Amino acid sequence: MTRLGSTAMVTIFTLLFAPLASSAPVPASVRVTKTVAGNVRVTWQAGIGPYAIYRSPDANDVLRPAWLTGLTQQLFYEEPISLGGSEARFFLVDAALPCSGPTDCDNHRVCDGAEFCDSRTRRCASGPALVCNDGNSCTTDSCLESTASCQFVEVVCEDGNPCTLDSCRPDIGCFASVDPNAGVGTPAALSARSLSAFPFAQSIDDFNSGSAVQVAVDPVAQPSVVGQTCDVYVMAKRSAAQWCSNQPLQDVRGAPETRIFAASNVQANTFALSASATLSAVDGNAIGRGYDLVLDCNRNGFLEAGELVDGLSDDAGFYVVRDLSAAGPLAVAQFDDLGPESPHCSGGGLDDMRIYHPTTLNDPLFTGKYPLVVISHGNGHCYDWYDFLGQHLASYGYIVMSHDNNTQPGIETASTTTLTFTDKILLNQGTLGGGVLNGHIDNTRIAWIGHSRGGEGVARAFDRLVDEGYIAQRYSAKDIVVISSIAPTDFLGPTKSDPHSAPYHLIYGSSDGDVCGCPGDSITQSFGVFERATGPRQSTYLHGADHNDFNCCGFDDFSGPSGSAIGRPEAQQVQKAVQLALVEQYTKFSPISKEFFWRQWEEFRPIGVSASTVVVNDLREGPARRSFIIDDYQTQTSLVTSSSGGAVSTDTGALSEARERDTDGQYAWAASDVMNGMARGRDVDVGRGGVFEFTSGGSAFYEFSVVAGQRDLRDDTLLSFRAAQITRHPRTIAALEDLTFTVTLIDSANQRSSIQIGAFGGGIEEPYQRTGFGSGSGWQNEFEVIRIRLTDFQRNGTPLDLGDIRAVRFEFGAAFGSAEGRIALDDVELVKE
């Protein structure tokens, strides 16, 4: 009997062995230890094995097929202590017992699925387990054995500090801000970038290292500073609790700068912070460093009630960001784990993997854990083609494993290798690389990245965890915190290749000659998988990148116009940056990275990416942040009613609502195919949208009424929508440039405020000018997300009551942006930050 750790858990090992003594464990050799990873580990000396491991809840009921937990030929067995409850009993024998019927296999637990006896193998098997995962960090998810149902218990975030307001964010968990009534400053959005047109300043959080940080103060929204001479402090980031207990101010630049705030407008109060281009972006392994901004208007070097602070919460006021395309701060080592199968990477070997890790793991005193990233290659590709990505991610504090992928038979086998190799590294971390990984892999923070068939395979693997009860040994669906597909195929369609509610990312090249996005072949349309994702989802679409630009060694299948190829090195600069930003967001809950997925790429991109590289960002938040959907075209198919039930009015031309799918198999414009260019899924997919056009020489509008009961927008943060130009349409071809238009909010007193989207830089990107599948130039339609902060509509005292907005209006024509165009619109909604 051995005690393990402070939990006083008792683990009892009873050794049973068959008459063949040569094959049995040696009782005196058995050792029980607790590993650094929090597992119970049993080791023994043995003859030939293999050994069947039984874990029984009853010492009087041992040799029963239902209690079989595993088979091993190793001289050890290991599992998480938590699996055993307060006591776990293990029994080792030299052969597994067969079963003869379901009674033999019933383990008296319902949440892990119904057990049955496989008549062919006479071994117990299990049906689908009940997966309880709502994708919400604000609930604790579990399966209740008593009712065979899921239970979602709300996380309690109260910290007992009367100075803080405690809440829970669905994506990160508990979060605190300073109570405005605590007398510790006043929160304000101060970090910004100046704009040449209304709203004249855009509130942002991220600034690339080496660029100037700007501050914008709207004198109407912040009247307390009007006419004041204030010291502007750039502070090292403090949490809400730290602000509550520590109000003295200290500028990281050595001293604050002094500014006089005018009463006129925000333009007069927008300025670059002195020496801000020299602010450090280095903060350990993080991709950036956070800072807070303070306006000390009584100039006493102490934060007091009423003084403005950007960052009066657990989030920083702003972040200075590293070059995400450049290597991180950690040295990296890599090694291969090669099995006996051959040949290497040509369809026969399915037992090899390459592992990349920070060299901090070589230090015997290091006890930390890193998230795990699993890379699943495509058909005809190889696991060792992703050194550039594995080394990059490992340099920021990840353990990365790229593995053989069984893609040749199809997506089902590809998904199986992703599932099993994820278990393989977790199960064998004690021996891989001499044990260097042991205890350092965080199996609750796993990211899956797949390419081509492997890109569909990772979505299918998650679907099997969720829908089909696939039981992994060392992880579950809730441990897969993000999935990223690189130009995935779509062989299996919506019932099987489905990321469900997992955070999902698509990176895809417009010049792909393999998974081409061709209109007549749904298998090659990557956006179909993307559109099925019901959780947070984002896409990165690169003009001029082909299928194999995203690995080291695949053949050149560039299929775009001459001179438009960006080349493999540039495509991988983008890839390294955005996939790093992605895993930082979901495995480390970093607030720094999201702006790389929604800001206009023309004005904000990773430092190491060329200014000439065209990237189109699309993003839709998860359900918990989509506070009110005005129209997503999924219901209320009448052209005069939105999906939320509000009235829709318009004088645009050729308005249609339909499935986002090209129906005639070519990209040449045809009036009969209203969704021309929409390679967004199959006939049985459900994604819908609206399309319309506006003509040169006039103006047009498209207006959504906000239903009663939803008109108070003061608790919302952003108006968000997705739009795309329709490929090869005459009105698209007429200008062939970024398309812009104006967004207007109208309150119940008929007060209006308008923002032209071009003010933020760029607009809705013109289609990539690839030819084929009919006459003309242009390829699949490219949705781009636009997000506008609601308070920007009130800039400089513009009269608008955000507490009573009756309509959202889109206005088109030369007076409002581009003179003409044909566009698609989708997911018009209000979002909480």
Side-chain angles (χ1 to χ4, degrees):
M1 189 180 298
T2 305
R3 289 188 181 275
L4 299 176
S6 60
T7 58
M9 170 188 158
V10 178
T11 304
I12 299 176
F13 298 93
T14 302
L15 304 181
L16 305 177
F17 40 105
L20 293 175
S22 63
S23 66
V26 179
S29 74
V30 174
R31 297 290 183 269
V32 184
T33 57
K34 178 182 177 182
T35 70
V36 174
N39 295 343
V40 58
R41 183 181 176 91
V42 190
T43 59
W44 63 88
Q45 293 177 6
I48 59 174
Y51 299 103
I53 313 296
Y54 291 76
R55 177 149 68 74
S56 171
D58 183 354
N60 297 314
D61 182 15
V62 177
L63 295 180
R64 189 175 178 205
W67 311 138
L68 180 66
T69 190
L71 294 169
T72 181
Q73 290 186 319
Q74 306 291 334
L75 302 185
F76 68 90
Y77 175 74
E78 186 174 309
E79 75 170 32
I81 289 175
S82 60
L83 292 181
S86 60
E87 182 178 84
R89 300 168 183 266
F90 296 87
F91 305 90
L92 291 76
V93 299
D94 68 337
L97 297 177
C99 59
S100 57
T103 303
D104 291 341
C105 297
D106 185 4
N107 65 2
H108 308 306
R109 296 191 298 271
V110 295
C111 289
D112 62 357
E115 293 77 28
F116 61 94
C117 183
D118 187 316
S119 59
R120 182 179 60 84
T121 64
R122 293 189 65 202
R123 293 288 179 260
C124 291
S126 181
L130 183 58
V131 177
C132 298
N133 179 22
D134 62 1
N136 188 345
S137 295
C138 294
T139 61
T140 300
D141 310 337
S142 61
C143 176
L144 293 178
E145 286 287 339
S146 59
T147 61
S149 63
C150 289
Q151 176 176 263
F152 305 105
V153 179
E154 189 171 333
V155 171
V156 177
C157 292
E158 177 57 53
D159 63 4
N161 186 341
C163 178
T164 62
L165 295 178
D166 306 305
S167 59
C168 191
R169 291 184 175 179
D171 51 351
I172 65 172
C174 291
F175 178 83
S177 56
V178 174
D179 188 335
N181 299 314
V184 184
T186 298
L190 302 175
S191 62
R193 70 183 188 97
S194 62
L195 306 176
S196 60
F198 187 84
F200 302 112
Q202 180 185 26
S203 296
I204 57 172
D205 294 329
D206 292 353
F207 299 86
N208 275 323
S209 176
S211 63
V213 176
Q214 291 184 303
V215 171
V217 177
D218 186 334
V220 179
Q222 307 294 348
S224 64
V225 302
V226 173
Q228 296 271 10
T229 300
C230 305
D231 288 339
V232 182
Y233 282 83
V234 178
M235 303 282 298
K237 175 187 176 298
R238 292 178 182 173
S239 67
Q242 288 170 332
W243 272 119
C244 285
S245 61
N246 183 20
Q247 287 92 48
L249 304 177
Q250 183 175 1
D251 197 295
V252 297
R253 299 168 296 175
E257 62 186 276
T258 302
R259 292 280 175 171
I260 300 173
F261 291 94
S264 53
N265 51 43
V266 71
Q267 301 95 296
N269 294 313
T270 301
F271 57 92
L273 289 167
S274 64
S276 58
T278 64
L279 291 173
S280 175
V282 177
D283 186 11
N285 303 339
I287 60 173
R289 177 180 286 275
Y291 298 89
D292 293 337
L293 278 169
V294 180
L295 303 188
D296 180 19
C297 293
N298 65 8
R299 306 184 67 190
N300 67 351
F302 194 86
L303 179 63
E304 295 176 339
E307 294 186 319
L308 303 184
V309 183
D310 193 348
L312 204 59
S313 69
D314 288 348
D315 278 344
F318 69 90
Y319 297 89
V320 177
V321 187
R322 293 175 181 265
D323 178 4
L324 301 193
S325 64
L330 300 177
V332 174
Q334 68 181 56
F335 64 88
D336 290 345
D337 180 68
L338 304 179
E341 294 184 20
S342 60
H344 171 72
C345 282
S346 60
L350 296 174
D351 55 352
D352 301 337
M353 57 182 171
R354 177 166 290 180
I355 296 168
Y356 316 81
H357 65 85
T359 58
T360 48
L361 300 190
N362 297 329
D363 182 353
L365 299 179
F366 180 75
T367 59
K369 290 187 175 185
Y370 292 125
L372 173 65
V373 179
V374 176
I375 301 176
S376 303
H377 66 73
N379 195 43
H381 302 173
C382 189
Y383 72 91
D384 58 8
W385 287 9
Y386 299 89
D387 286 354
F388 70 95
L389 184 59
Q391 291 167 358
H392 186 68
L393 296 178
S395 72
Y396 285 91
Y398 294 88
I399 293 171
V400 184
M401 180 266 287
S402 183
H403 62 85
D404 276 338
N405 202 10
N406 192 15
T407 58
Q408 184 60 47
I411 305 306
E412 198 71 9
T413 54
S415 70
T416 298
T417 39
T418 295
L419 291 162
T420 56
F421 268 93
T422 303
D423 252 337
K424 182 176 181 179
I425 188 173
L426 296 173
L427 289 165
N428 298 301
Q429 60 184 290
T431 57
L432 289 168
V436 67
L437 308 176
N438 197 37
H440 299 302
I441 303 176
D442 186 344
N443 69 331
T444 67
R445 294 184 293 160
I446 301 173
W448 280 346
I449 297 175
H451 191 179
S452 195
R453 291 193 187 189
E456 184 181 357
V458 292
R460 171 61 181 146
F462 191 79
D463 180 79
R464 290 174 65 184
L465 287 171
V466 172
D467 273 357
E468 299 181 10
Y470 179 93
I471 300 175
Q473 297 181 65
R474 287 295 181 266
Y475 65 96
S476 65
K478 66 174 61 178
D479 301 317
I480 309 303
V481 296
V482 65
I483 300 169
S484 182
S485 294
I486 307 165
T489 57
D490 190 15
F491 281 93
L492 301 183
T495 61
K496 292 187 175 183
S497 295
D498 186 352
H500 292 277
S501 61
Y504 183 74
H505 172 247
L506 168 70
I507 184 169
Y508 192 17
S510 66
S511 303
D512 195 316
D514 184 357
V515 186
C516 58
C518 299
D521 184 3
S522 59
I523 290 172
T524 67
Q525 296 175 3
S526 294
F527 282 113
V529 184
F530 170 79
E531 294 285 349
R532 290 175 203 134
T534 60
R537 69 187 193 195
Q538 43 258 302
S539 70
T540 306
Y541 191 60
L542 282 74
H543 281 203
D546 66 44
H547 194 70
N548 289 311
D549 281 345
F550 302 112
N551 60 41
C552 75
C553 307
F555 67 91
D556 182 356
D557 68 339
F558 176 80
S559 300
S562 176
S564 68
I566 62 172
R568 181 171 278 155
E570 178 66 7
Q572 291 180 5
Q573 287 291 89
V574 176
Q575 180 184 7
K576 290 186 295 184
V578 298
Q579 290 189 310
L580 172 61
L582 182 80
V583 296
E584 286 282 313
Q585 183 179 345
Y586 292 106
T587 69
K588 298 181 181 178
F589 312 117
S590 171
I592 306 173
S593 59
K594 183 173 282 188
E595 290 188 9
F596 285 100
F597 295 101
W598 68 262
R599 280 171 63 181
Q600 292 281 313
W601 194 265
E602 291 91 332
E603 61 86 15
F604 185 63
R605 61 188 174 277
I607 297 169
V609 174
S610 170
S612 62
T613 297
V614 176
V615 172
V616 179
N617 280 328
D618 190 7
L619 176 145
R620 194 184 73 184
E621 299 281 4
R625 289 192 182 274
R626 302 174 72 194
S627 56
F628 179 60
I629 301 170
I630 297 172
D631 203 347
D632 63 1
Y633 300 92
Q634 293 301 114
T635 58
Q636 301 285 0
T637 56
S638 166
L639 297 180
V640 297
T641 307
S642 68
S643 60
S644 61
V648 176
S649 57
T650 184
D651 62 356
T652 58
L655 174 64
S656 297
E657 295 184 15
R659 272 279 299 109
E660 291 173 336
R661 183 177 186 275
D662 188 293
T663 59
D664 65 2
Q666 62 175 356
Y667 282 149
W669 167 249
S672 59
D673 186 4
V674 297
M675 285 290 175
N676 185 60
M678 289 293 186
R680 315 295 291 196
R682 301 176 177 224
D683 285 336
V684 289
D685 279 300
V686 297
R688 294 173 54 84
V691 291
F692 53 90
E693 59 193 65
F694 54 98
T695 61
S696 179
S699 62
F701 74 92
Y702 189 23
E703 181 175 303
F704 300 89
S705 294
V706 181
V707 296
Q710 298 292 340
R711 294 180 174 178
D712 189 347
L713 312 189
R714 290 172 296 183
D715 287 338
D716 300 305
T717 311
L718 302 160
L719 173 68
S720 178
F721 55 88
R722 307 162 58 226
Q725 296 199 53
I726 301 300
T727 194
R728 302 191 192 181
H729 190 274
R731 304 202 187 284
T732 299
I733 297 169
L736 209 59
E737 60 186 11
D738 282 10
L739 183 143
T740 60
F741 50 86
T742 294
V743 183
T744 300
L745 297 188
I746 309 171
D747 67 19
S748 292
N750 211 34
Q751 299 178 119
R752 303 177 177 221
S753 180
S754 301
I755 295 176
Q756 207 254 60
I757 65 170
F760 299 115
I764 307 304
E765 192 70 36
E766 70 270 20
Y768 181 65
Q769 293 298 288
R770 182 172 170 179
T771 59
F773 292 91
S775 61
S777 300
W779 206 239
Q780 54 192 330
N781 298 331
E782 308 165 17
F783 273 101
E784 187 161 8
V785 67
I786 302 292
R787 291 155 60 104
I788 305 175
R789 189 173 292 271
L790 291 168
T791 52
D792 282 353
F793 287 94
Q794 296 177 310
R795 186 73 76 198
N796 287 339
T798 301
L800 183 74
D801 183 2
L802 286 177
D804 192 12
I805 297 298
R806 70 167 180 82
V808 176
R809 183 182 179 99
F810 296 89
E811 299 180 282
F812 307 94
F816 302 101
S818 299
E820 62 181 306
R822 180 172 173 87
I823 67 172
L825 194 65
D826 201 359
D827 294 318
V828 181
E829 57 193 12
L830 301 169
V831 173
K832 292 184 185 295
E833 250 187 2

